[in-house]
Amino acid sequence: MATKQYTRYSIERLKNAEELLERLSRKLEAGRYKTVKEDYIKAHYQYESARPLVLLTPGLNNLVDTHIEQLPKDTQSLGFVGFHAIEYALFVQPDPVRAFVETQKLLSNLRFVINMMQQQNITPQDMLAILPVFTHQILTHKLPGYDSSYSGSGLGEVAANLEGIRLIINQTQNFIPPSLIADINQTEDRIYAILDTYLFEDIYQPYANLKDSDKTLIHQEVQRLSELLIQVNEQISSQLTE
């Protein structure tokens, strides 16, 4: 039941991303550019919170969201596609026509991903394997700022990965000792306390605004969270093998 709920919630996130990209596309087509950047950031946020589920199927994530450092250096290359191609056309060298074309390509691939996810049956072991991917994403790609260099949306993507963790914890908390749940909640609260100082309405400030001291604190807390999630994995795995 927990795996089905998690899959359902994750697919909802993917569909939210699809809806936001459709809205972005309509605005570009109509020449209404005022809020398209916000639509992009929100769409990628939704995808980011469910990305580790997509990663369970090898190669599927690369259809829509290859990490920016793994894309061709030549932004005109045919292989420069996905979310980051739209991001580049909106934030770096504004090109509404290219942004529209890339959005249409991404929507087609994202719909394929959603269809694949709807057919996937994950196991409890799969769900546990997903947990450390979130903290790895934060520490390796998001907090250093590598994967959001065009839009500067790294802080929001840190929050998106925290939400992804929470989706799993909420479905498995009956198998986790209350003291461990409390430690996880407190660690997440300390991270959000920092992130919230950078939140304006429903969009996080650009990554460039992040203070070095806050970056260090977030890094420390995410490492702590990663250690706690290892304990979660051990606790639930032991119950599954009994």
Side-chain angles (χ1 to χ4, degrees):
M1 181 63 178
T3 56
K4 290 182 178 179
Q5 281 282 70
Y6 173 66
T7 301
R8 182 171 67 82
Y9 289 149
S10 295
I11 290 172
E12 284 178 6
R13 295 300 180 96
L14 298 177
K15 288 184 174 179
N16 288 344
E18 178 188 16
E19 182 179 330
L20 286 159
L21 289 170
E22 288 172 343
R23 186 168 74 185
L24 186 157
S25 180
R26 290 193 297 270
K27 289 179 181 178
L28 288 171
E29 192 171 24
R32 295 184 286 114
Y33 307 136
K34 185 176 181 180
T35 58
V36 291
K37 291 181 179 180
E38 288 83 354
D39 288 337
Y40 168 83
I41 290 172
K42 291 175 181 178
H44 196 258
Y45 183 103
Q46 292 294 318
Y47 180 79
E48 189 67 34
S49 68
R51 183 210 294 264
L53 178 63
V54 179
L55 288 169
L56 286 176
T57 303
L60 201 57
N61 175 71
N62 287 348
L63 290 174
V64 294
D65 199 27
T66 301
H67 284 302
I68 200 166
E69 65 269 24
Q70 296 170 350
L71 285 169
K73 300 300 182 185
D74 181 4
T75 58
Q76 301 302 316
S77 168
L78 292 176
F80 192 83
V81 294
F83 271 103
H84 291 304
I86 302 171
E87 184 184 19
Y88 185 85
L90 291 176
F91 293 88
V92 182
Q93 290 190 354
D95 185 340
V97 173
R98 180 180 181 185
F100 176 80
V101 170
E102 294 297 341
T103 302
Q104 295 306 303
K105 290 192 290 186
L106 177 58
L107 277 167
S108 177
N109 286 341
L110 181 58
R111 287 164 185 150
F112 176 78
V113 169
I114 292 171
N115 182 59
M116 290 289 290
M117 292 298 98
Q118 289 171 328
Q119 299 176 43
Q120 187 170 354
N121 293 313
I122 69 168
T123 66
Q125 288 84 355
D126 289 331
M127 196 159 64
L128 292 177
I130 288 170
L131 268 178
V133 177
F134 286 108
T135 50
H136 176 78
Q137 294 275 2
I138 295 173
L139 293 171
T140 306
H141 299 288
K142 308 306 173 182
L143 197 53
Y146 298 144
D147 211 34
S148 59
S149 57
Y150 296 150
S151 62
S153 57
L155 294 181
E157 296 187 1
V158 170
N161 279 277
L162 292 176
E163 284 196 19
I165 292 170
R166 179 49 52 182
L167 288 176
I168 294 179
I169 295 299
N170 286 346
Q171 297 306 312
T172 57
Q173 58 188 352
N174 290 338
F175 304 96
I176 306 171
S179 59
L180 184 51
I181 290 287
D183 285 344
I184 291 170
N185 291 342
Q186 290 167 9
T187 303
E188 288 181 336
D189 286 346
R190 288 193 292 269
I191 298 171
Y192 276 118
I194 300 169
L195 290 176
D196 286 351
T197 64
Y198 295 91
L199 187 63
F200 179 72
E201 294 181 349
D202 58 349
I203 295 287
Y204 285 91
Q205 294 177 34
Y207 175 84
N209 292 1
L210 179 64
K211 298 176 183 176
D212 288 341
S213 57
D214 286 339
K215 181 178 177 179
T216 299
L217 289 173
I218 293 173
H219 191 278
Q220 291 171 350
E221 294 297 342
V222 173
Q223 284 188 315
R224 170 62 177 157
L225 181 59
S226 182
E227 294 166 1
L228 293 171
L229 295 180
I230 290 172
Q231 294 180 45
V232 168
N233 212 315
E234 291 172 347
Q235 288 280 344
I236 299 179
S237 294
S238 65
Q239 294 177 58
L240 291 174
T241 56
E242 288 177 356

